């Protein structure tokens, strides 16, 4: 019931709110002086899920303020916004006005929808409590995972595309369904067949999941990886295993 209520609220706001035109400011450096430019994003639409005119970004700008949003959004690497796409690069000549606009991929509305994923995981845990036979547990998980996966793919096929920054319903269904299949496979390997040694790394990651998330989100892991090198910074650990140039 909670998941249905949250999903209904999310869909109503995402597709029902009117997104007006809006402006933002960027700074440019020219011969030691700083110049501020005001860029206008033309929207005037309802139910848009594109980078510049979606309700998720509008609510974050209204409630959090545009200066508190993430200033290097993922859409800066798209073909519309980078000549080196899928990497960061200079803007193309015909780049849209929203290419340099701040956007938080973990904003208020998308975080609301992310709780539905948590509720799906909670339900998977309830199956462990209410069913004590392994085959029944696996049947419960696989059936629900299959339904979620097919539902998400159907949503994507009919226009509600997979979109992680917006955390769309199709994205929630597909990721929850895929996670359910993976969870079932690990349960079968570890709890049913007893191959526990192969899961020690996963067990350690599960115990320290929050710490790992903080280290990665704060770029501490990447600083450590790039901080150890031989003579030149390019000879770091990633270069040693063949990643990067």
């Amino acid at each position: 019931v909670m998941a249905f209520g949250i999903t209904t609220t999310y869909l109503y706001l995402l597709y029902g709110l009117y997104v007006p035109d809006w402006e933002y400011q960027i700074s440019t450096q020219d011969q030691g002086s700083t110049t501020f430019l005001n860029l206008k994003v033309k929207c005037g639409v309802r139910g848009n899920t594109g980078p510049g005119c979606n309700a998720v970004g509008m609510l974050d700008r209204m409630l959090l303020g545009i200066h508190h949003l993430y200033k290097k959004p993922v859409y800066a690497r798209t073909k519309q916004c980078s000549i080196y796409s899928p990497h960061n690069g200079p803007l193309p000549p015909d780049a849209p006005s929203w290419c340099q606009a701040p956007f938080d991929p973990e904003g208020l509305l998308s975080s609301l929808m992310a709780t539905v994923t948590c509720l799906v995981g909670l339900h998977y845990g309830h199956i462990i409590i209410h069913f004590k036979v392994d085959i029944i547990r696996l049947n419960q998980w696989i059936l629900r995972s299959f339904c979620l996966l097919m539902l998400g793919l159907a949503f994507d096929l009919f226009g509600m595309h997979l979109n992680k920054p917006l955390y769309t319903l199709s994205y929630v269904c597909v990721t929850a369904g895929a996670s359910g299949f993976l969870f079932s496979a690990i349960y079968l390997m570890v709890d049913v067949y007893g191959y526990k040694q192969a899961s020690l790394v996963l067990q350690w990651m599960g115990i320290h999941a929050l710490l790992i998330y903080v280290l990665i989100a704060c770029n501490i892991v990447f600083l450590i990886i790039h901080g150890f090198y031989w003579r030149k910074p390019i000879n770091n650990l990633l270069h040693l295993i063949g990643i990067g140039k």
Side-chain angles (χ1 to χ4, degrees):
V1 172
M2 287 293 297
F4 179 78
I6 293 172
T7 302
T8 302
T9 303
Y10 169 85
L11 293 176
Y12 173 78
L13 295 175
L14 179 64
Y15 292 103
L17 288 180
Y18 176 80
V19 182
D21 299 344
W22 57 283
E23 293 183 356
Y24 69 99
Q25 191 178 74
I26 61 172
S27 60
T28 59
Q29 298 288 335
D30 184 18
Q31 298 180 351
S33 61
T34 302
T35 304
F36 294 94
L37 299 176
N38 291 323
L39 298 179
K40 185 174 183 179
V41 181
K42 293 184 178 181
C43 294
V45 294
R46 194 186 306 272
N48 187 279
T49 56
C53 297
N54 58 75
V56 174
M58 183 190 71
L59 287 176
D60 287 340
R61 292 190 297 270
M62 290 175 55
L63 300 177
L64 301 178
I66 194 169
H67 298 293
H68 295 281
L69 303 184
Y70 188 55
K71 293 180 173 56
K72 295 182 180 179
V74 66
Y75 56 69
R77 302 197 301 265
T78 61
K79 291 183 179 180
Q80 295 170 290
C81 300
S82 173
I83 61 175
Y84 298 141
S85 180
H87 306 287
N88 288 313
L91 293 171
D94 57 344
S97 58
W98 45 259
C99 278
Q100 301 177 78
F103 178 81
D104 198 330
E106 297 172 345
L108 297 175
L109 195 56
S110 53
S111 294
L112 179 68
M113 195 61 184
T115 59
V116 177
T117 307
C118 299
L119 293 175
V120 173
L122 180 65
H123 181 68
Y124 279 37
H126 285 166
I127 292 175
I128 297 179
I129 301 298
H130 294 290
F131 300 97
K132 303 303 180 182
V133 181
D134 291 332
I135 189 63
I136 298 179
R137 288 176 175 175
L138 288 169
N139 287 338
Q140 294 283 335
W141 289 326
I142 292 174
L143 176 62
R144 282 154 178 75
S145 300
F146 178 80
C147 292
L148 284 170
L149 188 60
M150 291 298 103
L151 187 62
L153 294 176
F155 284 145
D156 181 70
L157 182 64
F158 289 103
M160 190 185 294
H161 298 301
L162 300 173
N163 192 317
K164 183 183 183 298
L166 301 185
Y167 233 93
T168 55
L169 179 58
S170 58
Y171 177 81
V172 169
C173 291
V174 168
T175 52
S179 300
F181 279 117
L182 180 60
F183 176 70
S184 300
I186 294 175
Y187 181 87
L188 183 66
M189 179 184 72
V190 176
D191 292 88
V192 178
Y193 291 109
Y195 295 109
K196 297 184 178 181
Q197 295 297 324
S199 66
L200 291 179
V201 175
L202 298 178
Q203 182 180 354
W204 180 86
M205 293 175 65
I207 294 174
H208 303 91
L210 184 59
L211 175 62
I212 294 172
Y213 177 81
V214 171
L215 292 176
I216 293 177
C218 297
N219 290 326
I220 297 176
V221 170
F222 304 105
L223 289 175
I224 294 174
I225 292 175
H226 288 281
F228 290 94
Y229 57 86
W230 174 253
R231 294 184 178 178
K232 296 181 179 180
I234 193 174
N235 298 323
N236 52 48
L237 296 176
L238 290 179
H239 184 77
L240 181 64
I241 60 178
I243 301 178
K245 298 181 180 180

